[in-house]
Amino acid sequence: MSKLLIANWKMNPLLSVDAVTLANKIDVNAKKYKSVSVGIAPAFVHIPLIPKPKSVWMGAQDVFWENPNDGGAFTGEVSLDMLRNIGASFVIIGHSERRKNLGETDEMINRKVKMLVKAKFYMVLCVGEPLSIRSKGFAAAKKYVASQLKKDLKGVNNFHKLGVVAYEPIWAIGTGKSDNPELASEMAEYIKKLTGADVLYGGSVTSKNAESFLMKPSINGALVGGASLNAQEFTKIIEIASKV
Ligand code: 13P
């Protein structure tokens, strides 16, 4: 089965010239691995500066939950139509860093999901438990994730046709401590059962551990942070995804 790799660049790189260079390198390299779907999610301000990629999708890291066609009084926010107009074709929502640092709630995320489903726009919905929950055991983690999904997808029937879930245990993000691939695979199966959607794993994915996750049939790909900021390293992950 072909895998999906999404590069989440978060608030990097600082200079737009570096974002353009990184995007171009990844675009050129990804061309060699046609069996893998690759998406890049640069910061909002960098998206329109990057020449339209040929082999990868361009996406954004967030979107506002309202999309009024005549704009609106929502200071600091970016609408789906604005993103479409600058060439984005998918969006990441519900990332744990937004939940934690910006107080984004499941209710807000649910509004975003509904708006995106209505607009038929592809999304990567992030869920995952904090360490305090995981330390109570894997069953507690499953319960936590199920509760997030229930709230995030409340009143939504056909999410699986328009989106993928990224399972990102919070304690594994940016820590170098990736999840146990067996457990990540079990969680992916569980999420699939609950939503019918494909599932990506995210959390300290590198070229060293990518195979152990991507070889699992239940894991449809990866959401990659730090390792996607280095074109060579991310290309290695794409190559691995093409071989599993
Ligand atoms: P890292 O790959 O840097 O751990 O980040 C994962 C992530 O949060 C991707 O959305």
Side-chain angles (χ1 to χ4, degrees):
M1 269 287 281
S2 122
K3 302 281 178 180
L4 169 64
L5 296 178
I6 304 276
N8 176 8
W9 291 352
K10 308 190 180 185
M11 204 168 71
N12 303 288
L14 188 57
L15 298 177
S16 48
V17 62
D18 292 336
V20 172
T21 305
L22 181 59
N24 286 343
K25 280 187 187 162
I26 292 173
D27 191 34
V28 168
N29 294 350
K31 208 168 155 188
K32 292 178 226 145
Y33 307 101
K34 292 214 167 23
S35 63
V36 186
S37 300
V38 181
I40 55 170
F44 287 140
V45 289
H46 292 156
I47 298 173
L49 304 174
I50 294 171
K52 194 174 174 2
K54 293 187 183 69
S55 357
V56 306
W57 297 1
M58 180 95 80
Q61 299 170 19
D62 188 40
V63 66
F64 189 52
W65 61 69
E66 286 199 27
N67 187 31
N69 48 26
D70 53 352
F74 300 106
T75 302
E77 292 299 328
V78 174
S79 75
L80 178 60
D81 283 346
M82 288 172 169
L83 292 177
R84 272 191 163 134
N85 290 340
I86 56 171
S89 51
F90 73 92
V91 66
I92 297 171
I93 54 168
H95 195 281
S96 62
E97 287 154 9
R98 296 194 59 82
R99 293 178 189 253
K100 177 170 168 264
N101 300 321
L102 292 144
E104 207 166 282
T105 63
D106 288 306
E107 288 67 32
M108 293 177 191
I109 294 158
N110 179 245
R111 291 177 77 170
K112 295 183 185 193
V113 174
K114 284 181 170 158
M115 181 275 296
L116 291 165
V117 165
K118 198 167 155 214
K120 295 192 169 38
F121 199 80
Y122 197 82
M123 73 197 99
V124 179
L125 167 64
C126 304
V127 294
E129 79 288 353
L131 188 58
S132 59
I133 297 289
R134 182 64 169 256
S135 55
K136 290 184 190 155
F138 192 61
K142 276 169 124 176
K143 206 169 147 194
Y144 185 92
V145 167
S147 156
Q148 282 185 316
L149 287 168
K150 195 172 168 200
K151 292 183 215 157
D152 296 348
L153 299 179
K154 192 175 169 195
V156 176
N157 300 318
N158 48 356
F159 172 80
H160 63 283
K161 290 189 189 146
L162 282 160
V164 56
V165 176
Y167 170 58
E168 298 203 300
I170 296 172
W171 48 270
I173 296 177
T175 57
K177 290 184 196 143
S178 54
D179 200 357
N180 172 324
E182 301 302 323
L183 292 178
S185 166
E186 193 179 326
M187 185 66 90
E189 264 169 41
Y190 180 61
I191 293 171
K192 272 196 168 81
K193 221 164 64 190
L194 294 174
T195 64
D198 280 356
V199 182
L200 311 181
Y201 167 76
S204 295
V205 172
T206 65
S207 62
K208 301 246 173 348
N209 61 26
E211 191 182 358
S212 65
F213 293 102
L214 295 173
M215 68 188 289
K216 302 283 183 199
S218 60
I219 298 180
N220 302 97
L223 181 55
V224 186
S228 72
L229 291 166
N230 177 314
Q232 222 183 344
E233 171 71 359
F234 191 55
T235 303
K236 273 192 211 160
I237 299 175
I238 301 175
E239 188 183 353
I240 291 163
S242 77
K243 288 183 178 153
V244 290

